[in-house]
Every structure is written in C-alpha cells, then in structure tokens.
Amino acid sequence: MAFPKGFLWGGATAANQCEGAYDVDGRGLSRMDITTAGTLTERRQVTYAYPDGRTGKGLTIPTGAHGAVLPGEYYPNHDGIDFYHHYKEDIALLAEMGFKIFRMSIAWSRIFPHGDESEPNQKGLEFYRNVFEELHKYGIEPLVTISHYETPLYLEEHYGGWNNRKMISFYTHYVETLFKEYRGLVKYWLTFNEINITIMFLEMLGGKADDAAYQQAYQQLHYQFVASAQAVSIGHQISSDNQIGCMICGIVSYPLTPDPQDIMKNRHAWEQNIFYSGDVQCFGEYPTFSKRLWDAHDVHLDITDQDRADLKSGTVDMYTFSYYMSSTTTTHAVENDAQGNFSIGAKNPYLQYSEWDWADDPAGLQYYLEVIYDRYHLPLMIVENGLGAVDKVGADGSIHDPYRIAYMAEHIEAMGKAIANGVDLVGYTSWGCIDLVSAGTGQMSKRYGLIYVDRDDAGNGTFERRKKDSFYWYQNVIQTNGAAVAVPQV
Ligand code: BG6
C-alpha cells in the first residue's frame, strides 16, 4: 500500500486526559477537574458547593453554586497519566515508534488560570516549551489543539462561557500568546476540538432537547466559529508557516433503510452534524441549509457584519477530524439502539460493536474521506482514531492486543484506498497513543494506547509505562510508510 512520501504518522492526546498536575505551577481549574469518574452505564458528574458551605454533585452545577473539588471524591483527570512529570520518557517512547507528529492540547488554564488575565502564567508557557523542544529533539512535529474541552472554569462561572461574546476576545488573546510564544516551534494548530459536538450532543438526546437548548448551542457555536476564524487570521499574520485546521467529530451516518424518508433524514443529519461546522470553517460562510436548521428550532443568532467578514477571511488551511465509528438514521421505530457513550442510532446489522457499543466500520472512514475531500479540496488529517478496549497484562508483563492491531490495520487500509482514489490525506494520529483517561466515561480501563500505563479506574497504580504488541506493529507500519499494514486474523 503506497502512502505519500512524508506522510505524517503519529498519535494524539489531550491535556486534561493525560497531563495530571491539575493544581501545579499556577494552573487554574477547568470543568474536567470537578468531574468525577463514571462507567459505561453511570454518567460522570460534576461536584459543587454553595456559598453557605453546602456541597453536592450532579449532571450540572445548580444556580447559586460554583464548581468545587470536594474531599472524598475521585477525579481521574487530576492525575491523568501524569504526563506532566513523565513527558520525557513518553516522548522517547513515541520517538522509538518512529512518530513524525504528536497531537497534544494546551490546557488554557495553565496559561491563563482564570482566562481573563492580561499576562500569561510563565510556568505554564515554560512547560509546553519544554515539551515542544523535547519533541523536536527527535524530529517530531507538534500538532497543537488550542482548546480541547478545557475552557477555564472561571470563564464559565463568571462570564457564562461561550454564551458570552466576550469569550471571543479572551480566546484570541490566549491564541495570540501561543502563536507568539511558540513561533518556530509549532506550525500545526487546531482551533477547537470537535467543534460540531455541541449540536451533535443535542441530537444524541433523541428529540428531548428543547428549542432553548438549540438556540444556546447554535449561538455558542457561532461565537466559537468567529473566535476560530480570528485565530486563523492572527496565526497567519504571526507566521506564514502556521497551518491551522478545524477539527470535526466525524461520525459517518447511513440511512438504516432504503425508504426515501430515511435517505432524506440522513442527508439532513449530515448537514446538521458534519457539514454545518465544516462549511463555515472551510468556506467562510453559513451554508444555505442553515436557515432550515435554525427555523426548525426557532433559532435567532447574534451575527454581525464584522462576524461575517471575519469568517470569510479566517478560513482554515486543512480539515482534520476524529473517526471512530458510524451510526444510522431512520424514521422508523427501532428496538436495537447502540447504547455506548457518544454512540447514537439503531445498530447496523452489518457491523460489529465494541464493548462500549461503538461500531467498527473502516469502510465508513474511506467514505468520510472521499465525501469530505470532494467537498472542500483541502488537505485532510485524521487526528483521532482507535479502539477503546480492556487490556490484560500477562504474567511476564506482555500485553497482547490483536483486536487493537486489527482495528487500526483495517482503518489504515481504508485510508490507503481513499488516497488511491485521489484524496489528499496528509497525516494520521491514532487516539490515545498512550493510555489515558476516557473523556466520556472517566475510565482508565477504556484503553486506546499502544503504550500501557499502570493505573486503574480507582486511581491505583504506579504510572509505569509498558509497550503493547501494537507498539511494535505500529512501529513497523511507520517504518515501511504503511506497507506493513496487513490485517491480522484475530
Ligand atoms: C473524542 C475526544 O471525541 O473521543 C477525545 O476528542 C476522547 O477527547 C475520544 O477521548 C474517545 O472518547 P472516550 O470517551 O472513549 O474517551
């Protein structure tokens, strides 16, 4: 299988899921720091306190209370996998695998602990500088997500987070700081992780979200689009080397039946969940179907002429996305719904599902790549893909994970087919290349890594790193630029 010369093989992480050191060196809190662990069936909760000292936990912070870290609660993101103190060892392992690129995010609250300060926290800047320098020591390019589910909690509580237009200037101040500070060290940037998820989440509620929820979600998204576009323009002014991308949660959706109503519903699902965000960020304007989406929920947006100009002048240089699974859409009653975190729709009878009910669908990745390239004609990068599974450490310390190798091999083969069909795919970063805390469930046992980390769901473990079988397999894939990708029989 021929991958283009210089193809960017690597892996991906996010600060809140791996760094730990949540209160070290001046870092402020973000929502993940007050979020407890969950399971596949129990949702993660947030903990809070009232001014009179009463405390509690639930799915949201009630009016009058503020997010608080409470004694006796377990917060898996507080320690993550302690990348903060292990980054040298971890980067050496990534280099041993032959990584060309490493996707990571910056914790906004490490740079601006509250988010509204004018001066950055020097200790935070220093940490990331050290990480970038360490990566360059091995010839690994950093790919940096500027915001990966970690807005400073202070901004949420004192300004209403992304409901407030002021967030645009807090964000651009933050990104300008990063672009200036890391000029020459970082050239690949992503503005917001899975920006489309705000709307997708509402769809996952299966019709339970009311119009007010849609109004709020579309407005938040608009402010993020403007912030992202301004960031692209600022990034280009600061360095012509900067290549700045959008990042879309790419869940492929198929009609469950050939009923024309299902075909239409599925097309509309693509428009709402995938194309809406991609079109604004790649074309610099809202697509025609936006009016239909807004009218369906009586949404009226605060959009200024300046916003429209900003969107137009800040279109992205590349389209990046996550891909784990596909889903289905139907107008018919179904009995067999996928029940996993982040998974939606009726189960597809042609696909296998993971322990977390995520559909294993490599053809869906090829489909997505071809549809998206045809639409935008921009370089594409898959910046998340992988299998969350339970791994067992053998008596001799080995970790055999043929299921992960099979999943990755099939997906890399699908990438090869899309490339052969003309798609300009420039890179692939497998998700959680080193085990980390699951975003959806807070579990450590939902492992994606090629490197195992000794840590369990209750916070026990030594943080020792071990190479899984997939480590050696991926090393070989990279060494041969994708030639040695054969799908093993599990
Ligand atoms: C993506 C997120 O949606 O899915 C990651 O960008 C996340 O942060 C990944 O970890 C996998 O989801 P989960 O719930 O298995 O961690």
Side-chain angles (χ1 to χ4, degrees):
M1 180 171 309
F3 278 81
K5 196 162 170 277
F7 189 79
L8 295 166
W9 297 100
T13 59
N16 72 88
Q17 292 169 257
C18 74
E19 275 176 14
Y22 84 104
D23 59 353
V24 170
D25 290 337
R27 182 184 178 282
L29 291 181
S30 76
R31 181 167 286 261
M32 280 303 188
D33 301 315
I34 54 154
T35 304
T36 61
T39 65
L40 180 54
T41 49
E42 285 163 57
R43 287 179 64 183
R44 303 185 73 178
Q45 296 186 303
V46 286
T47 54
Y48 52 81
Y50 289 95
D52 64 9
R54 281 176 303 137
T55 59
K57 64 176 169 179
L59 295 179
T60 54
I61 302 174
T63 313
H66 62 273
V69 173
L70 301 180
E73 291 292 345
Y74 174 57
Y75 303 95
N77 300 67
H78 280 189
D79 295 325
I81 55 159
D82 200 27
F83 177 78
Y84 198 77
H85 298 108
H86 288 74
Y87 73 89
K88 288 194 177 176
E89 175 189 351
D90 292 344
I91 291 170
L93 286 166
L94 305 180
E96 193 183 329
M97 260 188 286
F99 274 33
K100 315 287 179 217
I101 192 163
F102 176 55
R103 176 176 176 228
M104 53 181 278
S105 71
I106 291 185
W108 188 343
S109 65
R110 228 181 253 295
I111 309 299
F112 292 103
H114 283 174
D116 63 353
E117 298 90 340
S118 51
E119 293 305 316
N121 170 27
Q122 290 301 325
K123 287 273 186 197
L125 290 175
E126 200 181 299
F127 169 67
Y128 294 107
R129 173 170 288 279
N130 291 339
V131 172
F132 299 145
E133 284 174 350
E134 193 68 18
L135 288 167
H136 282 293
K137 208 166 102 183
Y138 297 99
I140 302 174
E141 278 295 338
L143 163 63
V144 175
T145 318
I146 295 165
S147 177
H148 191 128
Y149 303 154
E150 45 207 325
T151 304
L153 187 60
Y154 186 92
L155 290 182
E156 288 191 18
E157 297 193 325
H158 290 79
Y159 293 93
W162 284 100
N163 296 315
N164 190 336
R165 182 176 273 281
K166 277 194 182 143
M167 286 293 288
I168 298 173
S169 52
F170 295 138
Y171 178 86
T172 51
H173 180 51
Y174 163 55
V175 297
E176 188 168 354
T177 307
L178 301 183
F179 289 145
K180 286 186 172 153
E181 182 72 24
Y182 302 126
R183 184 169 30 198
L185 277 175
V186 179
K187 63 178 182 193
Y188 296 116
W189 302 90
L190 306 179
T191 54
F192 287 93
N193 184 62
E194 296 186 331
I195 196 165
N196 55 329
I197 202 94
T198 323
I199 297 296
M200 225 182 228
F201 265 144
L202 296 183
E203 293 299 296
M204 286 179 194
L205 297 176
K208 289 195 205 106
D210 60 13
D211 285 353
Y214 278 91
Q215 168 69 36
Q216 190 178 49
Y218 278 115
Q219 187 64 65
Q220 289 182 351
L221 203 45
H222 174 69
Y223 292 147
Q224 291 183 346
F225 288 150
V226 175
S228 171
Q230 288 187 9
V232 172
S233 299
I234 295 168
H236 287 161
Q237 277 156 25
I238 292 174
S239 170
S240 55
D241 283 346
N242 280 330
Q243 294 181 46
I244 307 168
C246 59
M247 197 301 202
I248 304 287
C249 176
I251 298 180
V252 161
S253 157
Y254 304 116
L256 186 67
T257 77
D259 179 346
Q261 294 306 324
D262 278 12
I263 309 294
M264 183 62 81
K265 185 171 181 188
N266 188 59
R267 173 162 181 91
H268 287 177
W270 271 83
E271 289 177 346
Q272 176 161 19
N273 295 331
I274 308 290
F275 294 147
Y276 181 80
S277 298
D279 285 7
V280 176
Q281 295 192 283
C282 298
F283 296 142
E285 58 187 34
Y286 279 99
T288 318
F289 57 76
S290 306
K291 185 173 177 322
R292 193 193 75 243
L293 298 180
W294 297 335
D295 287 352
H297 297 287
D298 197 24
V299 168
H300 300 274
L301 294 187
D302 162 32
I303 306 182
T304 65
D305 289 346
Q306 185 59 47
D307 290 349
R308 291 191 195 278
D310 287 344
L311 293 178
K312 202 69 198 169
S313 54
T315 55
V316 292
D317 304 310
M318 56 184 177
Y319 181 108
T320 84
F321 65 100
S322 59
Y323 179 82
Y324 294 91
M325 62 182 144
S326 59
S327 69
T328 60
T329 308
T330 184
T331 55
H332 299 270
V334 283
E335 283 169 10
N336 197 9
D337 268 5
Q339 299 292 338
N341 67 309
F342 297 156
S343 55
I344 36 174
K347 278 197 173 174
N348 185 329
Y350 297 96
L351 299 177
Q352 302 284 321
Y353 285 74
S354 80
E355 281 174 76
W356 278 265
D357 242 2
W358 292 22
D360 178 357
D361 182 15
L365 176 57
Q366 182 188 344
Y367 186 83
Y368 193 88
L369 284 165
E370 293 182 7
V371 168
I372 294 297
Y373 187 64
D374 202 34
R375 192 173 183 94
Y376 301 118
H377 293 281
L378 283 175
L380 306 184
M381 218 191 277
I382 300 159
V383 294
E384 286 187 32
N385 171 248
L387 176 71
V390 174
D391 293 324
K392 290 201 178 62
V393 184
D396 60 354
S398 59
I399 299 137
H400 303 304
D401 56 347
Y403 35 88
R404 182 168 296 107
I405 295 174
Y407 177 97
M408 286 179 68
E410 288 165 356
H411 285 77
I412 293 173
E413 282 203 329
M415 285 155 45
K417 289 181 189 164
I419 291 171
N421 290 344
V423 170
D424 182 16
L425 178 65
V426 298
Y428 172 79
T429 60
S430 73
W431 175 249
C433 47
I434 177 163
D435 290 345
L436 37 64
V437 175
S438 156
T441 67
Q443 294 169 295
M444 266 306 296
S445 53
K446 189 180 188 191
R447 296 176 184 273
Y448 289 86
L450 312 162
I451 301 165
Y452 183 90
V453 177
D454 178 28
R455 179 84 167 170
D456 70 14
D457 287 343
N460 305 305
T462 61
F463 289 127
E464 188 199 354
R465 277 59 171 153
R466 281 175 187 278
K467 299 170 196 170
K468 303 183 191 177
D469 286 357
S470 53
F471 178 102
Y472 300 102
W473 171 82
Y474 195 44
Q475 184 182 49
N476 201 20
V477 169
I478 298 177
Q479 248 168 32
T480 59
N481 198 23
V485 77
V487 179
Q489 297 307 311
V490 181

